[in-house]
Amino acid sequence: MLEIDNLSIKVENFYIVRNVSLSVRKGEILGIIGESGSGKSITALSILKLIPESLKISGTVKVNGRDIYELEEREFNKNIRWKTVSIIFQDPAASLNPLLTIGEQIKEAIIFHEEKKENLKDTIINLLSEVEIKEPETVYKSYPHHLSGGMKQRAMIAMALSCNPDFIIADEPTTALDKQTEHKIIKLLKNLSKNKNTGVIFISHDIEVIETIADTITVMYAGFVMESGETGEVIKKPYHPYTKGLIECIPKVEGKGKRKLPVIPGNVTDIKSRPSGCPFHPRCSKRKEVCQRELPPLKQIEKRTVRCFFPEYEAV
């Protein structure tokens, strides 16, 4: 299991992420949803120690029971990063080295972690086939600029799978893709998670994508977890006003006549100007005086957790 417990990340005296707890099992897909600035990516990047050293971290991040921040850097690089937990970045064009072929780039990760280095080319071509690249030998010899956006992303997924990790972080991997390619990448990740028993943390600002791919969902806002639970249940009946707002903003194609698209007023506040109390209260239509004074604790309601004084569950 990959577990984050009470994680906080701050710069100077300002919190970027505060008291975040979440977990994902092997073979399970956890979706993390929220607007830009909610703390999704930096939470995930902390798992691989890919955040600046100037940031202060507290809490624990455990991978298969081992606290990664108690490991020496050499041991972490050899046994955790890429071998046990790998990552698919959201912009493959920026993440792939333009001077190396796809085959050479995948080869680097395997050579670093694996003692057995025979038949590497065949291993890599098989990996490219696994991610449904139709001409893997051609892609093996290709440079990134020879490939389409979807092909680059498939190559990144192959690289993430190269050392057979237990967990993969997918940081908005479909953001720059068209809808048809996005659908194919989502289907591919779901199949790989199931067939290889790989845990996936899938980060997105698109709740429709999360609904399609994730078994469980964590909703983040301004560095806090606001709601979490089984994806179908959360989408069907959100307890937190922010979750409800995200769902209502999804355009609907069915029905007759015109419909004004709902929006959540305002924006996620900057870390240096976050309000006291509930971080969402300036944008919340259901706010009351207590919301402006106190930070609501995370409540456990059946199989759901929610950070709200007045969740929809209690209003029914």
Side-chain angles (χ1 to χ4, degrees), residues 43-310:
T43 296
L45 291 174
S46 69
I47 299 167
L48 287 171
K49 298 186 179 180
L50 295 178
I51 61 177
E53 293 182 1
S54 58
L55 301 182
K56 297 180 180 179
I57 298 178
S58 61
T60 60
V61 179
K62 291 184 178 181
V63 178
N64 296 332
R66 306 176 74 187
D67 188 342
I68 65 164
Y69 284 95
E70 291 183 354
L71 299 178
E72 294 289 337
E73 193 66 17
R74 180 182 176 86
E75 183 181 2
F76 178 80
N77 285 335
K78 194 68 178 175
N79 296 317
I80 301 295
R81 185 182 286 147
W82 218 254
K83 187 172 184 179
T84 306
V85 184
S86 63
I87 188 167
I88 304 164
F89 293 104
Q90 63 176 290
D91 186 358
S95 304
L96 292 169
N97 188 331
L99 303 180
L100 297 178
T101 64
I102 297 301
E104 289 172 323
Q105 295 186 60
I106 297 176
K107 187 185 297 182
E108 284 184 336
I110 297 174
I111 289 174
F112 182 81
H113 289 287
E114 302 292 337
E115 293 182 5
K116 184 180 178 181
K117 299 173 181 140
E118 295 85 6
N119 302 318
L120 264 184
K121 181 177 179 180
D122 291 341
T123 298
I124 294 167
I125 288 174
N126 287 336
L127 276 170
L128 294 172
S129 296
E130 280 187 32
V131 298
E132 300 177 4
I133 289 176
K134 294 182 179 179
E135 298 181 358
E137 292 194 20
T138 300
V139 172
Y140 176 89
K141 298 180 288 186
S142 299
Y143 289 88
H145 67 273
H146 293 150
L147 307 179
S148 66
M151 292 286 276
K152 288 189 186 80
Q153 199 59 282
R154 288 175 190 270
M156 284 293 299
I157 295 170
M159 194 180 300
L161 291 168
S162 62
C163 296
N164 296 310
D166 292 332
F167 302 97
I168 294 175
I169 298 166
D171 187 7
E172 302 202 34
T174 62
T175 298
L177 305 178
D178 60 80
K179 282 294 180 183
Q180 184 176 10
T181 306
E182 175 187 89
H183 176 74
K184 291 178 180 178
I185 295 296
I186 288 171
K187 184 179 178 181
L188 173 62
L189 285 171
K190 287 178 72 172
N191 289 339
L192 289 171
S193 174
K194 180 180 179 180
N195 296 335
K196 289 182 171 289
N197 196 34
T198 304
V200 178
I201 295 178
F202 191 98
I203 300 165
S204 181
H205 62 272
D206 188 334
I207 203 160
E208 285 187 297
V209 171
I210 293 293
E211 182 180 11
T212 302
I213 193 171
D215 301 302
T216 58
I217 183 173
T218 292
V219 181
M220 291 188 67
Y221 181 81
F224 289 91
V225 170
M226 308 307 272
E227 185 167 2
S228 61
E230 294 181 3
T231 302
E233 295 300 314
V234 172
I235 298 295
K236 181 180 178 181
K237 181 169 177 53
Y239 291 172
H240 198 283
Y242 179 58
T243 310
K244 186 177 181 181
L246 290 175
I247 294 167
E248 288 178 343
C249 289
I250 300 173
K252 301 291 191 300
V253 294
E254 70 274 5
K256 297 180 180 180
K258 295 180 179 179
R259 181 181 80 99
K260 187 175 180 180
L261 186 66
V263 297
I264 302 173
N267 299 292
V268 180
T269 54
D270 181 80
I271 62 170
K272 295 183 179 181
S273 57
R274 285 181 182 163
S276 58
C278 175
F280 186 62
H281 87 254
R283 306 174 68 188
C284 183
S285 61
K286 298 183 181 297
R287 65 181 178 270
K288 298 184 180 181
E289 194 273 335
V290 66
C291 304
Q292 302 176 51
R293 288 188 290 104
E294 300 177 26
L295 176 68
L298 273 175
K299 296 180 179 181
Q300 185 73 37
I301 303 176
E302 297 177 344
K303 295 181 180 180
R304 191 91 59 91
T305 56
V306 59
R307 188 184 297 278
C308 185
F309 287 119
F310 309 102

